[in-house]
Amino acid sequence: MATIEECRAALEKLSDTMQRAEGDARTAAALDRSVSCHITDLDVTFVGRMTGGRIVVQDTLQGPPKEKAQIRLAMAGDDLVALVNGELNFAKAWGSGRVRLEAGLRDLFQLRKLL
């Protein structure tokens, strides 16, 4: 089971990858939205903001998110690490329910360019 520190490091790595995105993916990474990532097996939520082509984690909270972020992710810690390391296909994980992504329709269309 991934630790909180490993999950935070995975989010930092994802943020670094987003910063280097090009083309349509760069446009998607440039969204300015509130973000939450609930790590279900650890029952912690990273909350922050997707801005300037990065994900900025502002806080780590115990339990599910207290407020509804504009972009919401939920998954096990090992799945987050595997996704960021390219070991787990996002579309398959989302389709099977291992990863939950909730956002407005317009944001979902933009995010699919990133994922």
Side-chain angles (χ1 to χ4, degrees):
M1 179 166 55
T3 66
I4 292 174
E5 293 78 20
E6 290 169 325
C7 292
R8 182 179 288 277
L11 288 171
E12 278 294 319
K13 184 176 178 179
L14 176 60
S15 182
D16 292 343
T17 300
M18 287 172 51
Q19 184 104 36
R20 294 188 304 271
E22 296 179 0
D24 287 343
R26 180 128 184 109
T27 302
L31 291 172
D32 185 8
R33 301 287 187 270
S34 59
V35 177
S36 68
C37 182
H38 184 172
I39 306 302
T40 55
D41 56 337
L42 298 175
D43 198 27
V44 297
T45 301
F46 296 97
V47 293
R49 190 136 198 106
M50 185 173 166
T51 185
R54 295 191 59 81
I55 297 172
V56 179
V57 175
Q58 297 165 333
D59 205 356
T60 305
L61 308 172
Q62 191 64 39
K66 309 288 186 245
E67 296 180 20
K68 187 175 177 180
Q70 292 168 302
I71 298 172
R72 299 167 302 283
L73 288 160
M75 69 195 80
D78 288 341
D79 288 339
L80 172 63
V81 172
L83 279 170
V84 171
N85 289 334
E87 299 162 1
L88 179 63
N89 179 280
F90 179 83
K92 289 180 182 178
W94 188 29
S96 70
R98 285 176 68 178
V99 173
R100 289 193 324 263
L101 169 63
E102 298 175 7
L105 190 58
R106 183 176 294 164
D107 289 341
L108 286 173
F109 280 123
Q110 286 295 320
L111 290 170
R112 72 185 172 103
K113 298 173 188 173
L114 257 179
L115 308 168

